[in-house]
Amino acid sequence: MTELLQWARHHWHRLTSGRTQDEDERPYNYSSLLVCGGKSPQNPKPAGKHRVVIPHLQCFRDEYERFSGTYVNNRIRTTKYTLLNFVPRNLFEQFHRAANLYFLFLVVLNWVPLVEAFQKEITMLPLVVVLTIIAIKDGLEDYRKYKIDKQINNLITKVYSRKEKKYIDCCWKHVTVGDFIRLSCNEIIPADMVLLFSTDPDGICHIETSGLDGESNLKQRQVVRGYAEQDSEVDPEKFSSRIECESPNNDLSRFRGFLEHSNKERVGLSKENLLLRGCTIRNTEAVVGIVVYAGHETKAMLNNSGPRYKRSKLERRANTDVLWCVLLLVVMCLTGALGHGIWLSRYENMVFFNIPEPDGRVISPVLTGFYVFWTMIILLQVLIPISLYVSIEIVKLGQIYFIQSDIDFYNEKMDSTIQCRALNITEDLGQIQYLFSDKTGTLTENKMVFRRCSVAGFDYCHEENAKRLESYQEAVFEEDECTDTLSGSLSNMAKPRAHGCRTVHRGPLGSKSSTHLSGSTPALGSGEGSGEVPHSRQAAFSSPIETDVVPDTRLLDKFSQITPQLFTPLDGATQSPPLEILYILDFFIALAICNTVVVSAPNQPRQKIGLSSLSGMPIKSLEEIKNIFQKLSVRRSSSPSLAGGKDPTSGAPCAFVSRISFFSRTKLSPPVEDESSQMGESPQASNSACCTETEAQNSAVGLTIGSAEALDGPPPLASNLCYEAESPDEAALVYAARAYHCTLQSRTPEQVMVDFAALGSLTFQLLHILPFDSVRKRMSVVVRHPLSKQVVVYTKGADSVIMELLSVASPDGTNLEKQQMIIREKTQSHLDEYAKRGLRTLCIAKKVMSDAEYAEWLRNHFLAETSIDNREELLVESAMRLENKLTLLGATGIEDRLQEGVPETIEALHKAGIKIWMLTGDKQETAVNIAYACKLLEPDDKLFILNSQSKGACEMLMSAILKELQKRIQAPPEPASLRKSFRRPPDPQHAGRAGLVITGKTLEFALQESLQRQFLELTAWCQVVVCCRATPLQKSEVVKLVRNHLHVMTLAIGDGANDVSMIQVADIGIGVSGQEGMQAVMASDFAISRFRHLSKLLLVHGHWCYTRLSNMILYFFYKNVAYVNLLFWYQFFCGFSGTSMTDYWVLIFFNLLFTSVPPIIYGVLEKDVSAETLLQLPELYQSGQQSEAYLPLTFWITLLDAFYQSLVCFFVPYFTYQGSDIDIFTFGNPLNTAALFIILLHLVIESKSLTWIHMLVMVGSILSYFFFALAFGALCVTCNPPSNPYWIMQKHMLDPVFYLVCVLTTCIALLPRFLYRVLQGSVFPSPVLKAKCFDRLAPEERAEALKKWRGTAKINQVASPYALQSAAGSGGPMTGPSAALAMKSTTACAVEQENLPACETVLDLGCSELGATKMPEPSTC
């Protein structure tokens, strides 16, 4: 309504004033009226393939008015309803549910006089109550969204007014495309805008994207090329350019377009020039930008898909059983119609039973039977449980409340607990059969520690560093826990002030920023003193165990040989340094600069640390001043020519190169070898590390920085640097370089400064950055070397990729080529050894280019950067033209430690019968090593490696492995429950466990349609599957394949952006809120902070939720069928006339009120087994996997029991009062009362844990029934003439026969159910019932009973002949029907962290002899 009034007022004002649009008037957008309630469209239709953005200025007035019609305003609406459309739209959505449509049909049907069964108002009551409850819930939720939307739309920002010629305060909702916006530090960006000015002298703007993707680390954005060089703020009145970009889309990692000046010169735009709505300006005093997307066209709003909805397996099963109830209802109604027709036919001549119509016409029995069919539909409508769906929603909310309130899920270190983002699949947690897990950050800490490196073919073990890590690991962990506990609440309070800065207003804006509600938090960064606030944001990787690296003594000795004299000409002749020394130099330079680490000072993070900014740093003592001047004097005296700054003339090979040499330096994360790089999750990582002296002292008492001790301490300024890294690998490599005094000191868009030991400060001119992507799996930086003045490309990435890009060397080549071949072979062996030790590996390489080569490449690269269509493909092709013929420098090995409790959790999940697949981008050796370390694989497992280079070889290899497994297990060829064509896989308790390792290339073949069935059959025989070198797409395809073809319940867990597709495909997706941002969490159904929380979530809460909800749904079917059948049995004694022996109000309230609350309480609070027992006996989880609580047989047995109890409940009172003169309602009253006691006591029998809440609700239900019956009987004298319930309950309560009937009926009806439960608990108890007995034992007896339980299971497993066969027959010769497929059994012992042997069986084709080989021994240093 508000939108319509604004539109009418706007046009009336224009018509009456007789003028055109005012200079500063905002054009009204009509598109918001095209959707219901004036809500802006979530997915706006673009006007064309590209968008043209015209500045909202006077000089562009006519052109702006022509294009403004295609723009939407910045007002957002996430609400679904308005006051006018709430009722019709909510009803429209609720009637999408089939059950509601069914009851609406009954309401309409009851208004037909010929088939009317109840009073018209009574039939409407159940439906009205259900619709009202859901409508109130939806309305309250929508009102909460409305308040949030209103607050956001009224935030204040500075917008340039073309009328007042200055920036004025304007609400967010009034911002339009083409507006110029000026933002200060700590302000939130109101719309997507292109950055045109930054107060940073380098044209850099720092933003924090935590509001968008959960990452708290800073990201850099670059002013559009051509505007960064301006000394003053951009003047909107002088802006004469237009922008053409892609249409609005939800891709956060891409922005394509160009800015066209008035002289038709184009400047390319990328995502580095785009500030996204919802991000926060940090460490920058002020920025100016022009809006390109507003409102619901911004990338943040297009990514807001709303809450996730999945339909659980149990709900699907319940829907099927509802259909069975519908069929049962039809049968009962047909019986009634047929019976009524037969009954009328027998008394056709008796006028008393066949009353003619007023016109004298007599209705035939067939037509009367047809009418009675619909009357019976109305009468027996309660057979379909209308309140079931509402009760399920209430129960799930209660279950989620208790899950989120579980203190065991609270992570004190991260101050976070579990998040339940999907509200309707809690019961699926108790039925998981397959678990797909990421490795890095999910099973491991994602805290990278530099362990080893290989340079120029020499392996450096860093033994001192390894000893230090082992010595202080526990101490640092405990200290970190203590520190985090003490500062947890303070860090939350200080988080908004994390990036303090001084607010200095420049340009046209001369006043202080407003203190009322604005885009920034009040009082943050708005004073001169705020710049002195220390960098209080909690830093990742800031403990000594992660940041300090003790150098290797051998490498340190060689490193000390790097002196300025090596690069200084002697007597006119240039000295040639040793090749190994040059490799070491380039290796550490690459570690320091081949990244996107942002360098700042912890006490003044806005400042860039460099020689030019030393005077601006706060000096605390005269000693610091002395140290700084000593440092500068030493550098000047050592080698003045080496401390080269940026020379604008010497660096460029031609004018073209100098003009665009630093264009589009995209700052993305570097490549890392494992899945965090290959899957593209590094750009979403959230890591920052402040290496301050204070933090180093506070992190570990008594520990000193290793690098400082070994190298007489880093430079004075090095310890005061704060590194903002986008991935933990980047931080680990930068710290490793710092340990050798190769310290990254500053980074600007044009240069990188490195303090390199004796060489002093080296300034590298940064020519270009080629960011990491999942296709190339590497990143590169192009710099001009300050020593050689050459253009050098430094590249790091996965070894499988870098090795293929090295320059081809032949044994007959030059000595340099021969030496490069030797280095390559040795480095490859070192990489294999690192991987077998579980380390993450990276290769470092370089390439030297001539100026002409670089100019030619840059000319082609410029064309790719300025294109809008197919830009990504063109940029990848351009990068691949640059990254070739590389020279290998070395490799690194980084350790990623396992999370606490991971081995125990995986072991428990294995015992629970869950098959676990690890999907990782790691190398095969690394993945297998981690699998053994976390007990995913066990030493006695038979391990099969599936690695082939062709589809045919993959098929033959899978056949060979499958035959070997079937022969070892000797399982009968019975059809499996998963798929009829599969042989039944063995039970791991009765057969030897088998594991399968498959590589990414082979997985590509296995996922093809022709091999899918064979691949699934093979994996069904394996308890563990490890997929290494898997891409994000392959991860999701594997999950989808298993879920759709095996029809099993799947769960996927991951922590990075590369796991999002896998998480969304699985039945349940779980995100780990760790070091990799929040993409996985935001895409998940549940979010946890540690992998070990998975055990309690599944084994305890999953089991409880499934058991509770299953029994509650069955109980709803039972009580509805039992009560409705009372009406059905009565039809046999009333000629199937559709009458009821109970008053309609009692009939409606019986299911709607008197018996509805107890099952809800049962569904929320029931605990069949305690949490401690469920965790100690994971085997109990298998009952949920097999759906034992809700099988089709269970459903039909429940219905049969309901039929029996209804028969008893009807005929015991019938025979009691037979021959008496009681009226119809007097006969119905004991039926209702007995039915109430039967139904409630039935729930008591089924309950395993009765609390005072259960008993209170039970007593409350009984009292409410009697209160209503007494009040209704006293007040309702003529409610239902000619019969009425007047004073019936009062008379019965004075009659002893009434009590006898109720007691006798209840006992006879419940006796079979009670006897069955007694016999089940004593004669043939299920594992769950046995475990229930443990909860009643004393602690000592309970521990002894659990010990016997485990001992019995272990004895059964050891005594299995299949287990003996797998243990003794692994090395025996193979015989099989296929003589062409001979196999070779190779046993290899993998060395892991705990020195446990890992036996592998590798099947190769074309080998007929058996042999045993061992892996190469670890190299000794």
Side-chain angles (χ1 to χ4, degrees), residues 1226 1229 1269-1277 1284-1294:
T1226 305
N1229 188 57
L1270 290 172
F1272 189 67
L1275 301 176
C1276 190
V1277 180
N1284 63 77
Y1286 181 71
W1287 217 250
I1288 289 179
M1289 180 60 76
Q1290 285 82 346
K1291 292 179 180 179
H1292 269 148
M1293 293 188 71
L1294 299 176

Side-chain angles (χ1 to χ4, degrees), residues 585-586 588-590 592-594 642-647 665 742-756 759-768 781-794:
L585 175 65
D586 282 323
F588 283 103
I589 289 176
I593 70 174
C594 190
L642 297 180
K646 179 184 176 183
D647 188 354
R665 297 177 181 88
C742 182
T743 305
L744 175 64
Q745 281 202 312
S746 68
R747 177 187 296 275
T748 69
E750 301 178 12
Q751 64 184 26
V752 179
M753 185 177 296
V754 178
D755 185 10
F756 199 97
L759 298 182
S761 181
L762 302 180
T763 302
F764 293 83
Q765 181 185 354
L766 187 58
L767 302 178
H768 223 93
V781 292
V782 185
V783 298
R784 184 168 297 280
H785 204 289
L787 302 179
S788 63
K789 304 303 180 183
Q790 294 177 315
V791 176
V792 182
V793 181
Y794 289 104

Side-chain angles (χ1 to χ4, degrees), residues 725-871:
E726 290 189 354
S727 77
D729 301 82
E730 281 190 341
L733 296 180
V734 170
Y735 287 124
R738 192 192 68 169
Y740 288 90
H741 258 194
C742 182
T743 305
L744 175 64
Q745 281 202 312
S746 68
R747 177 187 296 275
T748 69
E750 301 178 12
Q751 64 184 26
V752 179
M753 185 177 296
V754 178
D755 185 10
F756 199 97
L759 298 182
S761 181
L762 302 180
T763 302
F764 293 83
Q765 181 185 354
L766 187 58
L767 302 178
H768 223 93
I769 291 181
L770 300 180
F772 166 84
D773 61 65
S774 58
V775 178
R776 292 166 44 245
K777 299 179 182 178
R778 59 190 179 274
M779 80 161 292
S780 299
V781 292
V782 185
V783 298
R784 184 168 297 280
H785 204 289
L787 302 179
S788 63
K789 304 303 180 183
Q790 294 177 315
V791 176
V792 182
V793 181
Y794 289 104
T795 303
K796 69 176 180 181
D799 56 338
S800 59
V801 175
I802 299 296
M803 290 297 185
E804 297 177 357
L805 300 176
L806 299 179
S807 56
V808 180
S810 61
D812 301 330
T814 62
N815 291 332
L816 188 60
E817 292 181 350
K818 293 179 181 179
Q819 196 166 3
Q820 183 64 212
M821 281 192 64
I822 296 174
I823 293 175
R824 179 174 179 176
E825 292 174 358
K826 290 183 177 180
T827 304
Q828 184 62 58
S829 66
H830 296 156
L831 286 168
D832 295 338
E833 182 183 343
Y834 294 170
K836 290 170 184 176
R837 292 180 178 270
L839 303 182
R840 296 154 57 95
T841 56
L842 279 175
C843 279
I844 313 296
K846 78 167 210 176
K847 175 183 178 181
V848 179
M849 301 179 67
S850 65
D851 289 346
E853 291 174 340
Y854 175 68
E856 177 63 24
W857 173 84
L858 193 61
R859 194 173 286 110
N860 296 325
H861 193 74
F862 175 77
L863 299 177
E865 287 178 326
T866 54
S867 64
I868 297 181
D869 300 324
N870 302 321
R871 173 186 286 191

Side-chain angles (χ1 to χ4, degrees), residues 928-1146:
V928 170
N929 188 282
I930 294 297
Y932 278 110
C934 66
K935 292 187 179 180
L936 186 62
L937 289 170
E938 296 180 358
D940 294 334
D941 287 353
K942 191 75 172 180
L943 190 63
F944 295 91
I945 310 295
L946 187 57
N947 190 357
S948 61
Q949 300 299 321
S950 65
K951 181 179 178 181
C954 176
E955 184 176 6
M956 295 176 69
L957 193 54
M958 285 195 295
S959 300
I961 297 176
L962 192 57
K963 289 179 181 179
E964 167 70 5
L965 282 170
Q966 293 173 352
K967 178 186 175 183
R968 290 175 60 247
I969 307 303
Q970 297 180 357
E974 299 179 10
S977 59
L978 297 181
R979 191 167 177 175
K980 294 181 178 179
S981 58
F982 289 173
R983 290 174 178 262
R984 184 168 60 191
D987 185 352
Q989 294 183 355
H990 300 288
R993 282 170 42 105
L996 178 68
V997 178
I998 181 170
T999 60
K1001 185 67 175 177
T1002 312
L1003 187 60
E1004 182 180 344
F1005 302 135
L1007 290 175
Q1008 295 182 11
E1009 188 174 357
S1010 58
L1011 297 182
Q1012 286 181 359
R1013 178 190 168 278
Q1014 189 177 9
F1015 174 63
L1016 288 175
E1017 187 174 1
L1018 174 60
T1019 58
W1021 288 76
C1022 302
Q1023 281 66 49
V1024 177
V1025 178
V1026 178
C1027 300
C1028 48
R1029 297 289 194 189
T1031 64
L1033 181 60
Q1034 287 178 332
K1035 288 184 177 183
S1036 62
E1037 288 179 347
V1038 167
V1039 177
K1040 189 185 302 181
L1041 178 68
V1042 173
R1043 188 196 66 184
N1044 294 341
H1045 287 72
L1046 300 185
H1047 305 293
V1048 292
M1049 293 297 295
T1050 58
L1051 181 148
I1053 179 171
D1055 73 318
N1058 64 329
D1059 304 314
V1060 168
S1061 57
M1062 172 180 71
I1063 288 173
Q1064 292 177 332
V1065 166
D1067 292 295
I1068 286 186
I1070 294 185
V1072 180
S1073 53
Q1075 307 289 329
E1076 294 288 343
M1078 298 292 286
Q1079 287 84 354
V1081 169
M1082 291 188 292
S1084 65
D1085 304 310
F1086 299 88
I1088 57 180
S1089 58
R1090 311 294 286 177
F1091 183 84
R1092 59 184 171 86
H1093 294 159
L1094 200 60
S1095 59
K1096 187 168 187 181
L1097 180 62
L1098 297 183
L1099 304 183
V1100 177
H1101 289 284
H1103 174 83
W1104 282 346
C1105 290
Y1106 168 71
T1107 305
R1108 291 165 175 170
L1109 208 58
S1110 298
N1111 293 332
M1112 191 203 75
I1113 292 175
L1114 288 173
Y1115 180 77
F1116 260 94
F1117 285 123
Y1118 150 77
K1119 76 181 185 71
N1120 283 30
V1121 173
Y1123 189 70
V1124 164
N1125 273 322
L1126 296 178
L1127 302 174
F1128 181 68
W1129 303 135
Y1130 180 71
Q1131 301 307 309
F1132 288 90
F1133 301 93
C1134 67
F1136 298 96
S1137 59
T1139 58
S1140 170
M1141 72 291 185
T1142 305
D1143 186 83
Y1144 300 144
W1145 286 103
V1146 177

Side-chain angles (χ1 to χ4, degrees), residues 667-686:
K667 302 294 187 300
L668 286 179
S669 68
V672 288
E673 193 278 329
D674 83 1
E675 76 272 26
S676 65
S677 67
Q678 295 190 14
M679 307 311 127
E681 69 184 29
S682 292
Q684 286 78 19
S686 173

Side-chain angles (χ1 to χ4, degrees), residues 874-947:
L874 295 175
L875 289 175
V876 169
E877 293 176 1
S878 178
M880 296 180 72
R881 286 194 297 268
L882 181 73
E883 298 165 331
N884 53 41
K885 298 181 181 180
L886 302 176
T887 299
L888 182 63
L889 299 176
T892 61
I894 298 175
E895 179 184 356
D896 188 7
R897 298 174 179 270
L898 278 179
Q899 289 185 20
E900 180 187 3
V902 168
E904 294 80 5
T905 301
I906 290 181
E907 184 180 9
L909 296 178
H910 271 314
K911 291 180 180 179
I914 299 176
K915 289 191 173 183
I916 303 178
W917 291 33
M918 186 171 75
L919 310 180
T920 176
D922 267 344
K923 292 182 64 175
Q924 174 183 314
E925 295 83 359
T926 304
V928 170
N929 188 282
I930 294 297
Y932 278 110
C934 66
K935 292 187 179 180
L936 186 62
L937 289 170
E938 296 180 358
D940 294 334
D941 287 353
K942 191 75 172 180
L943 190 63
F944 295 91
I945 310 295
L946 187 57
N947 190 357

